[in-house]
Amino acid sequence: MKRLVVPLSAQVMLWTYAAIAFGPLVLVVIGSFRSNADILQQPVGLPDSVNLANYLRAWETASVSTYFANSILVTVGAVALCVAVSTMAAYALSRWRFRGRALLAAFFLSGLMIPAKLGLLPVFYMFQSMGLIDTRLGLILLYAASGVPFSFFVIMGFMRGLPTELEEAARLDGAGEGRLFVSVALPLMRPALAVVTVFQFAPTWNDFFYPLVLLRSDDKYTIPVGLTRFFGEFATDRATLFAGLVIALVPLALVFAFATRQIIAGLTAGMSR
Amino acid sequence: MRRLARRRGGYRANRVAWRWIAAFCLPALLLYGLFVVVPLVTAFYYGLFRWEGIRQGEFVGLGNYGEVLTRYPLSEEIPAALWHNGLFFVGTMAIQNTVGLGLAVLLYRNPRGKRFFQTVFSLPYLISPLIVGYIWSLLLSPSFGPVNFMLRTVGLDSWARPWLGEPDTALPVLILVNAWQWVGGPMLIFLAALGGIPRELEEAAAMDGASAFRTFWSVRFPLLMPAVGVITVLTFIGCFNIFDLVYALGGSDGGPGGAMDVLGLLYYRTAFEGGTNAIGESSALAIMIFALVFGISVVLERVLRRREVTP
């Protein structure tokens, strides 16, 4: 008897928490299909019909489409740059022997403990002198740079565990260093690259602090800063706000759906250090 | 850290021409050095001078540090913000990490549907803290928010209130919303740690007649200490770096009466809404926050590491 009861209550608790975790998101999604008047009258309820008017309004009138395009550009640019430079550095430091190697690795890894955001003010003045204020390129460079320690950490850890026989065989066959890296090592590193890409994607897409300070003009805003503007403008129009929030969530929901395994691998990689 | 860079026995690292080494290492080095390390060093340097707007004035040594700590209103805002960060950390440890542990134990014992629940519980993890803040400020809004609506519907009218508009409830709400977002983290770490504990230990305890609670508390929990240590340090760093969520829930002033004002907001206000010496003062503040967070994390890690046991 006891055996039956314990799992049942556990199931109940698990489902209860699932409702707590998921419920608010469901309320937002449902709200995005309802009309504003309806929401103000009856905060919780189902939509009368599925209408996409809110989405159209958020996308066009509230220029969420611009913010969205900027976010895509900045995120893809930053993640690609970050993964590229970190992969090359991790490859060199794990496969080649040279003076200062340990020191350089320690230098990269020290960034794991540095709150980079406290350097914002110097970054601001540096950007001003370099003409990078209010540019998407500035953000790309900054995000790529602050992602280096984590990416380097994960790829380096992966490379240490990777056997070198294939590379040695290719070297005996006369492959040059560039060829070795591109045709032999890179394909083997794919799992680590996937984890790093997913893990850089979310914080870059989500960041609010840097663009809040470093961007000036509307047409360059990324989604998070754009949303603060949007929230000011549409403060009373709940339905449009909900639709805007859903749009901002879509890319991450897609990442999550396709990369759950990488996400869990990345979480445990980042935490078991 | 060094261990990672050291050559592991078994394979021979190769000697390669310097131009290859430079080509592979310099891009990362330049990017990281220029945009992460240099600004932090510069912040320290800035903090040693008086500033008139953006013009660098005389060298004042640690004068800005003294000024920040003694001049009104910062002299009152700093302790208040520190206190809020502290409460936030304690509350998060008590709620988020306890719930995380509970969920991990439940999933460990009931592997059915583990993957599904694991995914659902950690779903909010990926959402921007800013968006999380906006979602909850809509859900908690005084008259048209679903939360108050549901409370009224079930007859708890007296419980309905402007949750984020009252100094008494603002900080607890902040703690709960933050826990809602991050609970997946501790859950996954605890789950991984539970999986690493040998079954024989529990079976031995059960054969000796220990109750389920006793088995957990005396056998499994001590073996979870490494996970507790990692989570404590990560929670500490997260709680003292918080910015986006508070900004979304209460604006840059930290909500009603500054009830949610934290160090991150204070740094932001000092740097970008401060007076003529904003650069000097905010840099000094940044270095102090950095020293505090970094120092305490190191101490925490030491203390917690000492309490670890190995199976």
Side-chain angles (χ1 to χ4, degrees):
Chain A
M1 189 63 203
K2 200 181 164 199
R3 245 174 216 204
L4 243 163
V5 174
V6 174
L8 192 66
S9 67
Q11 286 291 321
V12 170
M13 280 192 266
L14 287 171
W15 280 106
T16 310
Y17 195 80
I20 296 174
F22 219 64
L25 299 176
V26 173
L27 279 177
V28 172
V29 173
I30 293 177
S32 70
F33 291 113
R34 302 172 68 202
S35 76
N36 196 44
D38 200 16
I39 292 177
L40 295 183
Q41 211 168 40
Q42 185 85 0
V44 180
L46 291 171
D48 305 329
S49 60
V50 174
N51 80 66
L52 297 171
N54 298 324
Y55 283 91
L56 281 176
R57 203 163 332 117
W59 188 251
E60 278 162 15
T61 324
S63 54
V64 173
S65 56
T66 316
Y67 307 148
F68 197 87
N70 289 333
S71 270
I72 295 270
L73 178 73
V74 168
T75 308
V76 171
V79 172
L81 182 61
C82 175
V83 174
V85 300
S86 311
T87 308
M88 283 163 66
Y91 176 78
L93 287 173
S94 67
R95 290 297 189 254
W96 300 337
R97 193 162 45 152
F98 55 91
R99 192 186 284 269
R101 192 166 72 131
L103 192 69
L104 192 55
F107 180 67
F108 284 135
L109 292 173
S110 68
L112 287 172
M113 287 180 285
I114 296 177
K117 294 196 168 164
L118 290 176
L120 181 64
L121 200 76
V123 166
F124 182 83
Y125 291 110
M126 185 161 75
F127 271 27
Q128 216 160 37
S129 66
M130 297 163 88
L132 286 173
I133 287 283
D134 199 24
T135 62
R136 284 158 286 203
L137 177 65
L139 280 183
I140 291 178
L141 293 172
L142 198 54
Y143 288 135
S146 48
V148 166
F150 179 78
S151 311
F152 177 81
F153 169 71
V154 173
I155 301 172
M156 185 83 174
F158 183 81
M159 290 299 289
R160 306 239 101 236
L162 206 62
T164 52
E165 278 85 19
L166 269 178
E167 288 158 58
E168 271 155 26
R171 180 164 288 149
L172 286 179
D173 286 346
E177 293 303 331
R179 175 105 197 154
L180 265 174
F181 174 67
V182 175
S183 313
V184 183
L186 266 188
L188 294 173
M189 290 156 90
R190 237 178 299 165
L193 299 186
V195 168
V196 168
T197 304
V198 170
F199 253 73
Q200 292 303 328
F201 189 90
T204 309
W205 180 268
N206 287 337
D207 184 67
F208 166 62
F209 199 53
Y210 287 136
L212 174 70
V213 175
L214 301 174
L215 295 180
R216 300 265 169 74
S217 42
D218 243 44
D219 58 328
K220 290 180 185 134
Y221 278 0
T222 54
I223 287 258
V225 223
L227 280 179
T228 54
R229 221 191 96 105
F230 173 62
F231 260 72
E233 241 171 72
F234 286 76
T236 51
D237 189 351
R238 293 294 153 104
T240 310
L241 291 182
F242 282 139
L245 287 175
V246 174
I247 296 174
L249 289 175
V250 165
L252 290 177
L254 287 179
V255 168
F256 204 93
F258 288 111
T260 321
R261 189 178 306 156
Q262 278 83 356
I263 288 165
I264 288 171
L267 280 175
T268 30
M271 283 157 180
S272 62
R273 64 179 159 98
Chain B
M1 265 187 280
R2 293 222 164 188
R3 198 163 7 124
L4 203 66
R6 208 167 52 202
R7 184 163 70 100
R8 189 192 278 165
Y11 86 87
R12 270 207 343 272
N14 300 285
R15 289 198 177 279
V16 165
W18 277 104
R19 62 192 165 88
W20 280 108
I21 295 169
F24 273 66
C25 293
L26 274 182
L29 186 63
L30 280 178
L31 202 60
Y32 172 68
L34 188 60
F35 295 109
V36 176
V37 179
V38 169
L40 280 170
V41 176
T42 315
F44 179 70
Y45 174 78
Y46 279 1
L48 300 173
F49 293 87
R50 241 203 109 67
W51 290 78
E52 312 276 340
I54 56 165
R55 207 174 56 78
Q56 187 176 339
E58 51 176 335
F59 177 82
V60 290
L62 298 178
N64 285 322
Y65 292 76
E67 184 128 324
V68 164
L69 291 173
T70 52
R71 192 177 53 78
Y72 184 84
L74 275 176
S75 61
E76 284 181 11
E77 285 174 330
I78 292 178
L82 200 56
W83 174 241
H84 295 147
N85 277 114
L87 284 178
F88 182 51
F89 170 63
V90 173
T92 303
M93 284 300 289
I95 295 172
Q96 169 191 298
N97 297 343
T98 313
V99 171
L101 176 61
L103 293 173
V105 172
L106 280 177
L107 283 181
Y108 176 71
R109 291 187 154 189
N110 305 276
R112 225 177 55 190
K114 181 170 143 189
R115 185 146 223 154
F116 167 78
F117 284 119
Q118 199 169 284
T119 310
V120 170
F121 295 165
S122 36
L123 189 66
Y125 208 99
L126 278 191
I127 306 172
S128 154
L130 188 83
I131 295 181
V132 169
Y134 282 139
I135 289 179
W136 281 97
S137 66
L138 285 180
L139 298 179
L140 289 167
S141 78
S143 27
F144 304 116
V147 172
N148 279 344
F149 174 80
M150 285 191 252
L151 287 172
R152 289 196 191 98
T153 315
V154 296
L156 291 169
D157 291 60
S158 58
W159 285 35
R161 64 190 70 228
W163 295 97
L164 290 163
E166 285 179 6
D168 290 345
T169 50
L171 190 62
V173 166
L174 173 67
I175 293 172
L176 288 175
V177 170
N178 187 63
W180 175 80
Q181 172 161 32
W182 301 111
V183 76
M187 181 198 68
L188 289 175
I189 303 179
F190 279 129
L191 208 49
L194 282 169
I197 296 177
R199 291 253 177 203
E200 298 83 49
L201 280 177
E202 282 165 44
E203 280 159 16
M207 285 221 289
D208 287 347
S211 67
F213 177 76
R214 187 67 212 257
T215 313
F216 176 77
W217 190 246
S218 309
V219 178
R220 218 182 287 150
F221 193 72
L223 292 172
L224 286 179
M225 275 315 280
V228 173
V230 171
I231 291 169
T232 306
V233 174
L234 286 174
T235 307
F236 178 78
I237 295 174
C239 285
F240 275 77
N241 280 334
I242 190 160
F243 178 83
D244 304 18
L245 181 63
V246 197
Y247 187 95
L249 289 175
S252 70
D253 292 327
M260 292 188 286
D261 198 16
V262 289
L263 291 171
L265 290 179
L266 197 57
Y267 168 68
Y268 173 75
R269 290 204 307 274
T270 317
F272 297 99
E273 296 167 7
T276 49
N277 190 20
I279 297 183
E281 287 179 354
S282 67
S283 299
L285 187 59
I287 296 299
M288 284 194 281
I289 298 175
F290 169 68
L292 178 88
V293 175
F294 192 77
I296 295 188
S297 328
V298 171
V299 172
L300 267 180
E301 197 156 12
R302 285 274 157 79
V303 171
L304 290 161
R305 183 140 294 169
R306 210 173 298 150
R307 301 194 45 187
E308 283 175 13
V309 288
T310 38

